């Protein structure tokens, strides 16, 4: 049996990759994908912890996260399309007019 | 029944105030006069049926809070009987006079005038009839309000508005004193009912020869009286109050309201009697004011101002009487003064009316022929106030002087005599300058009437009243309603004194016997053993004509004192007669002096004025008291208010704090808003950092 720590380390690595993607990539779609990676890193932690404790709670919450992630992806992609129609670019730096 | 007396004028006020704009003048004036006459009739009925020692009517419980129980209660005793007759009687005459005097106003203004006048009468009657300090205070403040409204009746003229404000503000100082005095009395005696106060003072307080509770309380009350009754130091508003319509000056600022202070002291005779220091102050202030105002009156040139100073001076006499304990004499003078001073004011009003608003006596003269009714009635008033027997003023003024002399106040008596001389002189100066000599006004003799409208007068004083007077710009004597009032008052001025013929002249001084019960305490707290002794002794004193309450509580030596008084009284009749002759002689001398200077040898008066130019200017400028107050009180307050309160506290501190908070928020926001870059990634970064920090804190703690 794979020890819990392995899962946690993997999850941490995935989460870091996702975070880095959010901050470093200059494409909104990639940013969205990075967010999905972060979410799934968390899911992995939940499932692993659930298995470790011998309960199904982790799996249940993971289902919730997945549904929400699906909805979020739908809305996010719709927003990206709308934004693209507006500015003809997907760089987040182009969308800074909502300030001061 | 008693409540009807103030209620009727109040009803008149309500009718004129609510519907006045739509009523023609005859109706609004008629309603006002009818209300007053009805009130007078009710007053007469009530006075005829007045119980002993009084009649009471309680309307309802007004204030009920712990120990403080105040009923809206009216009480009619002999003192208030006299007052309501004066207020409603002379008030009615002045209402009737006003219907003619004010007839040039528009309908709405006319109704406004009469509504104020009725409201004044209602409040004055509440003041007089109220059975306790708070009820009196309602009337006290109410008449002050009406005085303000009526002084500023022609409010479009700035001086009238200013005079109204001055009267109101100066009176505030006095009212503050009155209120403090009332509170002190309640705190120390536990009651505010006049009879209750008198009884508990009589029963439980020794006469106070130091600055104790009663002295301070009565001094505060007296401060209220100086405000309302225009005594030093608060008299300055009264001469300015002459900006109001003349009948108002007659009613409020001569006959009724300004006597409220005298009445208040009379009402609390027992209380004041227990504070000899206050009485001394009252007498001193009274006699000083009498002399002071008399000297100013000697040189003033505005007909109404002369009368105003004369009023201040006569009020001084009344306070002198109160101060020496001659309460009945003071109230007697109040009563006769109401007649002749109202008469003089109404007469001056008739002159002003005839001359289309002219008030400067230097521009009058020779009106005797043109205004016979006014002249003769005015002359009667002048003789009465000068104190020539047997007119009203002689008896009352002489009674005061005699009581002053008899009480051993020789200096005050001498000052009183000098003032009496001044009174005769300035009144007859007024008569001669106004009615005798050559005509000095550019008005309006019949030939030149047209084209000489009111506007032709450079010193036009009452444009609002007489601006439209062009049509009748010839000299005309008082119209019927005015003449009626003048004649009745003249008759009163001649005969009103006859109720108080002193014993020395074979009379019985009925007024004193009538009034004296009102100056005693009638009910004493039953627990007090002294109760049986005190009232009896008081009455004995009063019947001997020596009712000087300052002796009241000096219980042990009373029997001897009362016995002694009888003997002294017989002897003193001769002295009294001599003094009477002296004061009549002085009055006649005053008149003769006036005759010499202003009738036969007018150049001499001018010469004298030039030779003592300094004194003359000082008097003409009223001792610069207004300027002094201005410099010492008004301007420092104004300056303090401007610099400290307005610029410093209000603009600096309060506005500064409010604006400062706004500025601080704005400044902070100005710097903090830079954080909102609009970049989603920056927000995400800050979010991330925040989570890391929070998590870090939880993990490492």
């Amino acid at each position: 049996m794979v020890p819990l720590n392995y899962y946690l380390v993997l999850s941490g690595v995935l989460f870091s990759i996702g975070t880095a993607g959010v901050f470093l990539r200059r494409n909104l779609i990639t940013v969205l994908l990075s967010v999905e990676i972060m979410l799934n890193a968390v899911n992995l932690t939940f499932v692993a912890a659930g298995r470790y404790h011998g309960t199904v709670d982790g799996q249940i919450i993971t289902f919730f996260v997945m549904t929400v992630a699906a909805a979020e992806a739908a809305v996010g992609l719709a927003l990206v399309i709308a934004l693209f129609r507006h500015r003809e670019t997907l760089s987040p730096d182009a969308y800074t007019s909502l300030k001061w | 029944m008693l409540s009807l007396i103030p209620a009727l004028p109040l009803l008149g006020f309500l009718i004129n105030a609510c519907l006045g704009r739509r009523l023609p003048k005859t109706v609004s004036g008629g309603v006002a006069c009818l209300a007053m006459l009805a009130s007078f009739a009710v007053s007469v009925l009530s006075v005829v049926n007045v119980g002993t020692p009084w009649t009471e009517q309680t309307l309802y419980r007004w204030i009920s809070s712990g120990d403080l129980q105040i009923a809206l209660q009216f009480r009619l005793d002999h003192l208030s009987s006299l007052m309501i007759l004066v207020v409603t009687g002379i008030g009615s005459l002045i209402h009737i006079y006003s219907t003619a005097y004010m007839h040039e106003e528009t309908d709405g203004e006319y109704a406004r005038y009469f509504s104020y006048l009725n409201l004044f009468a209602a409040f004055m009657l509440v003041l007089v009839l109220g059975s306790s300090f708070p009820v009196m205070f309602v009337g006290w403040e109410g008449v002050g309000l009406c005085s303000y409204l009526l002084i500023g009746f022609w409010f479009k003229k700035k001086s009238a508005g200013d005079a109204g404000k001055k009267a109101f503000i100066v009176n505030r100082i006095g009212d503050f004193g009155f209120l403090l005095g009332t509170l002190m009395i309640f705190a120390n005696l536990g009651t505010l009912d006049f009879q209750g106060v008198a009884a508990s003072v009589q029963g439980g307080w020794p006469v106070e020869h130091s600055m104790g509770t009663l002295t301070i309380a009565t001094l505060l009350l007296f401060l209220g009286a100086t405000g309302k009754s225009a005594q030093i130091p608060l008299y300055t508003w009264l001469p300015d109050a002459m900006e109001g319509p003349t009948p108002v000056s007659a009613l409020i600022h001569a006959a009724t309201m300004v006597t409220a202070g005298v009445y208040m002291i009379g009402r609390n005779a027992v209380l004041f009697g227990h504070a000899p220091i206050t009485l001394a102050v009252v007498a001193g202030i009274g006699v000083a004011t009498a002399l002071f105002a008399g000297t100013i009156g000697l040189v003033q040139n505005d007909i109404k101002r002369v009368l105003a100073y004369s009023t201040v001076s006569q009020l001084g006499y009344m306070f002198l009487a109160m101060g020496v304990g001659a309460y009945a004499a003071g109230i007697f003078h109040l009563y006769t003064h109401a007649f002749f001073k109202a008469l003089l004011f109404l007469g001056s009003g008739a002159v002003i009316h005839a001359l289309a608003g002219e008030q400067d006596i230097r521009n009058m003269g020779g009106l005797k022929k043109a205004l016979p009714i006014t002249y003769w009635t005015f002359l009667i008033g002048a003789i009465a106030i000068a104190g020539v027997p047997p007119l009203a003023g002689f008896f009352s003024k002489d009674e005061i002087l005699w009581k002053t002399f008899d009480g051993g106040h020789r200096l005050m008596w001498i000052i009183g005599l000098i003032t009496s001389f001044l009174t005769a002189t300035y009144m007859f100066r007024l008569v001669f300058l106004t009615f005798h000599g050559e005509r000095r006004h550019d008005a309006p003799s019949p030939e030149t009437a047209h084209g000489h409208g009111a506007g032709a007068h450079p010193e036009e004083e009452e444009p609002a009243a007489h601006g439209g007077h062009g049509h009748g710009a010839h000299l005309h004597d008082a119209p019927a309603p005015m003449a009626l009032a003048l004649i009745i008052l003249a008759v009163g001025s001649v005969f009103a004194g006859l109720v108080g013929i002193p014993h020395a002249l074979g009379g019985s001084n009925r007024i004193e016997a009538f009034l004296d019960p009102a100056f005693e305490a009638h009910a004493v707290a039953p627990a007090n053993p002294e109760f049986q002794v005190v009232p009896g002794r008081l009455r004995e004193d009063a019947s001997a004509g020596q009712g000087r309450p300052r002796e009241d509580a000096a219980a042990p030596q009373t029997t001897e004192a009362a016995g002694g008084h009888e003997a002294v009284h017989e002897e003193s009749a001769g002295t009294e007669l001599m003094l009477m002759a002296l004061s009549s002689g002085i009055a006649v001398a005053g008149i003769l002096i006036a005759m010499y200077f202003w009738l036969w040898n007018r150049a001499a008066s001018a010469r004298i004025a030039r030779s003592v130019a300094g004194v003359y200017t000082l008097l003409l400028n009223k001792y610069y008291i207004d300027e002094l107050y201005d410099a010492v009180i008004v301007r420092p307050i104004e300056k303090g208010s401007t610099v400290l309160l307005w610029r410093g506290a209000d603009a600096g501190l309060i506005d500064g704090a409010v604006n400062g908070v706004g500025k601080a928020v704005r400044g902070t926001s100005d710097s903090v808003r830079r954080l909102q870059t609009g970049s989603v990634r920056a927000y995400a970064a800050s979010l991330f950092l925040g989570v890391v920090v929070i998590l870090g804190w939880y993990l490492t703690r």
Side-chain angles (χ1 to χ4, degrees):
Chain A
M1 175 146 164
V2 187
L4 181 63
N5 278 352
Y6 286 27
Y7 292 103
L8 292 184
V9 169
L10 176 61
S11 171
V13 169
L14 278 174
F15 193 84
S16 304
I17 291 171
T19 312
V22 168
F23 286 116
L24 299 177
R25 299 309 296 252
R26 303 208 173 265
N27 186 317
L28 280 174
I29 295 175
T30 323
V31 171
L32 270 179
L33 286 176
S34 306
V35 171
E36 292 299 323
I37 291 173
M38 288 163 76
L39 283 169
N40 281 309
V42 175
N43 281 350
L44 183 60
T45 322
F46 277 131
V47 174
R51 176 99 174 87
Y52 178 76
H53 290 296
T55 60
V56 291
D57 298 2
Q59 296 180 32
I60 292 169
I61 197 109
T62 302
F63 278 119
F64 278 106
V65 173
M66 283 164 74
T67 7
V68 172
E72 178 250 314
V75 173
L77 285 170
L79 278 174
V80 167
I81 290 166
L83 286 171
F84 183 77
R85 282 189 186 150
H86 210 64
R87 286 275 161 91
E88 297 279 332
T89 170
L90 284 176
S91 167
D93 297 330
Y95 301 102
T96 58
S97 53
L98 272 179
K99 59 181 175 183
W100 314 333
Chain B
M1 182 86 159
L2 281 185
S3 61
L4 268 184
I5 298 171
L8 284 166
L10 188 68
L11 184 71
F13 157 72
L14 287 176
I15 292 174
N16 269 331
C18 299
L19 309 170
R21 229 168 255 281
R22 269 167 247 139
L23 295 176
K25 284 177 197 170
T26 43
V27 177
S28 49
V31 164
C33 291
L34 250 157
M36 280 310 288
L37 285 169
S39 178
F40 179 57
V42 176
S43 302
V44 170
L45 273 179
S46 310
V47 169
V48 169
N49 296 320
V50 66
T52 40
W54 59 67
T55 311
E56 267 182 359
Q57 185 187 7
T58 309
L59 288 186
Y60 56 88
R61 200 162 61 183
W62 178 28
I63 299 172
S64 172
S65 165
D67 289 344
L68 182 68
Q69 299 288 340
I70 295 161
L72 187 57
Q73 188 185 45
F74 295 131
R75 181 180 293 148
L76 187 72
D77 64 354
H78 288 177
L79 176 58
S80 45
S81 295
L82 189 73
M83 288 297 288
I84 58 169
L85 289 182
V86 169
V87 172
T88 54
I90 291 182
S92 301
L93 288 177
I94 291 171
H95 273 69
I96 292 167
Y97 177 97
S98 298
T99 55
Y101 190 82
M102 301 300 285
H103 75 101
E104 282 160 23
E105 302 290 328
T106 59
D107 284 0
E109 293 292 281
Y110 194 76
R112 182 164 72 90
Y113 173 82
F114 276 104
S115 66
Y116 290 165
L117 219 54
N118 265 336
L119 184 65
F120 166 78
F123 274 126
M124 188 68 206
L125 291 164
V126 168
L127 190 163
V128 172
L129 287 171
S131 72
S132 59
F133 279 103
V135 179
M136 181 189 238
F137 192 65
V138 169
W140 190 274
E141 290 297 307
V143 292
L145 168 72
C146 294
S147 162
Y148 161 76
L149 290 171
L150 283 165
I151 294 169
F153 182 74
W154 290 309
F155 54 83
K156 283 175 188 149
K157 199 168 65 163
K158 187 172 183 310
S159 58
D162 286 347
K165 276 184 276 181
K166 184 170 176 182
F168 203 69
I169 291 166
V170 171
N171 265 302
R172 291 274 72 66
I173 302 171
D175 295 348
F176 187 58
F178 186 97
L179 208 53
L180 284 182
T182 307
L183 291 177
M184 239 182 118
I185 283 167
F186 180 70
N188 288 289
L189 299 178
T191 177
L192 286 173
D193 184 280
F194 292 125
Q195 280 302 329
V197 168
S200 68
V201 167
Q202 186 77 273
W205 293 75
V207 173
E208 227 176 53
H209 290 284
S210 58
M211 286 299 283
T213 313
L214 292 185
T215 310
I216 292 171
T218 46
L219 278 176
L220 285 168
L221 288 176
F222 179 58
L223 178 64
T226 58
K228 192 71 48 195
S229 296
Q231 297 295 294
I232 293 172
L234 299 179
Y235 72 95
T236 50
W237 65 272
L238 187 60
D240 285 15
M242 297 301 125
E243 290 287 348
T246 310
V248 170
S249 308
L251 179 62
I252 302 185
H253 306 119
T256 54
M257 184 189 85
V258 290
T259 61
V262 182
Y263 171 76
M264 190 267 291
I265 294 182
R267 181 87 287 174
N268 293 298
V270 178
L271 179 66
F272 277 78
H274 277 65
I277 296 179
T278 307
L279 281 185
V281 171
V282 171
I285 294 267
V287 78
T289 310
L291 180 67
F292 188 75
T295 52
I296 299 175
L298 205 52
V299 299
Q300 293 299 306
N301 288 319
D302 181 318
I303 186 168
K304 286 179 73 182
R305 271 176 194 265
V306 174
L307 291 174
Y309 280 108
S310 159
T311 305
V312 174
S313 175
Q314 298 300 311
L315 287 165
Y317 266 121
M318 296 176 208
F319 278 105
L320 169 65
M322 292 304 182
V324 299
Y327 302 114
I331 299 291
F332 182 30
H333 195 54
L334 185 165
Y335 151 79
T336 55
H337 175 255
F339 280 99
F340 51 69
K341 191 47 69 62
L343 170 62
L344 289 168
F345 263 115
L346 295 185
S348 78
V351 172
I352 293 166
H353 195 68
L355 294 181
E358 180 60 67
Q359 295 195 357
D360 194 325
I361 48 176
R362 286 169 300 190
N363 300 329
M364 295 178 181
L367 296 172
K368 187 174 148 190
K369 285 258 162 49
L371 311 172
I373 301 176
T374 311
Y375 171 67
W376 286 109
T377 50
F378 197 90
L379 188 66
I380 290 172
I383 298 174
I385 196 175
V388 174
L391 275 72
F394 165 74
F395 292 111
S396 54
K397 193 186 291 182
D398 209 68
E399 184 74 12
I400 293 175
L401 289 174
W402 163 239
K403 284 281 161 66
T404 311
F405 181 84
D406 192 40
H409 310 279
R410 296 294 149 86
L411 179 66
M412 289 185 188
W413 175 72
I414 289 169
I415 298 175
L417 273 187
I418 296 172
T419 309
S420 159
F421 174 75
L422 288 174
T423 309
T425 310
Y426 66 66
M427 280 319 301
F428 275 84
R429 167 176 177 263
L430 199 59
V431 170
F432 295 140
L433 285 179
T434 308
F435 293 102
H436 291 258
E438 77 286 8
R439 185 177 266 206
R440 291 184 301 284
H441 44 93
D442 56 344
S445 58
E447 315 87 66
T448 57
H450 298 285
H452 270 85
H457 287 270
E459 283 138 329
E460 178 64 52
E461 289 274 321
E462 299 184 5
H466 297 285
H469 207 249
H471 65 94
H474 60 88
L475 284 171
H476 57 87
D477 205 352
M482 286 161 72
L484 176 77
L486 287 174
I487 290 168
I488 295 178
L489 284 170
V491 170
S493 300
V494 174
F495 296 111
L498 298 182
V499 297
I501 299 174
H503 299 285
L505 284 180
S508 54
N509 208 346
R510 285 214 304 282
I511 188 102
E512 192 174 310
F514 178 72
L515 284 175
D516 268 336
F519 303 128
E520 299 165 10
H522 282 272
V524 178
N528 193 328
E530 283 173 71
F531 173 47
Q532 300 304 326
V533 193
V534 177
R537 179 172 51 74
L538 258 177
R539 264 186 219 105
E540 199 183 343
D541 257 9
S543 62
Q546 304 287 339
R548 301 219 309 278
R550 48 178 53 198
E551 299 177 353
D552 282 355
Q557 71 268 34
T558 5
T559 26
E560 301 152 47
H565 276 318
E566 288 297 338
V568 169
H569 191 69
E570 292 303 317
E571 247 176 66
S572 66
T575 325
E576 190 175 353
L577 276 179
M578 244 177 64
L579 294 181
M580 257 177 216
L582 180 61
S583 65
S584 319
I586 277 182
V588 173
I591 295 171
L592 288 177
I593 291 264
M595 258 181 176
Y596 175 72
F597 278 127
W598 287 288
L599 198 59
W600 297 329
N601 194 353
R602 204 164 280 169
S605 70
R607 249 200 326 278
I608 288 205
R610 265 198 306 281
S611 67
V612 287
V615 178
Y616 182 75
T617 322
L618 184 69
L619 291 180
L620 195 62
N621 288 299
K622 304 161 271 180
Y623 293 101
Y624 296 99
I625 292 292
D626 273 325
E627 285 76 5
L628 182 74
Y629 282 180
D630 215 40
V632 175
I633 297 169
V634 177
R635 245 172 288 141
I637 288 181
E638 203 179 329
K639 199 111 194 200
S641 303
T642 310
V643 174
L644 205 73
L645 294 178
W646 172 33
R647 300 250 166 78
D650 194 24
L653 219 67
I654 298 173
D655 287 5
V658 172
N659 292 339
V661 168
K663 262 190 199 132
V665 168
R666 196 189 161 129
T668 321
S669 311
D670 248 358
S671 43
V672 171
R673 71 174 183 170
R674 303 283 161 194
L675 291 177
Q676 186 170 356
T677 53
S679 157
V680 182
R681 275 188 302 163
Y683 301 159
S686 66
L687 201 73
F688 183 71
L689 267 175
V691 170
V692 168
V693 168
I694 291 170
L695 278 180
W697 188 69
Y698 270 110
L699 288 176
T700 58
R701 128 187 114 118

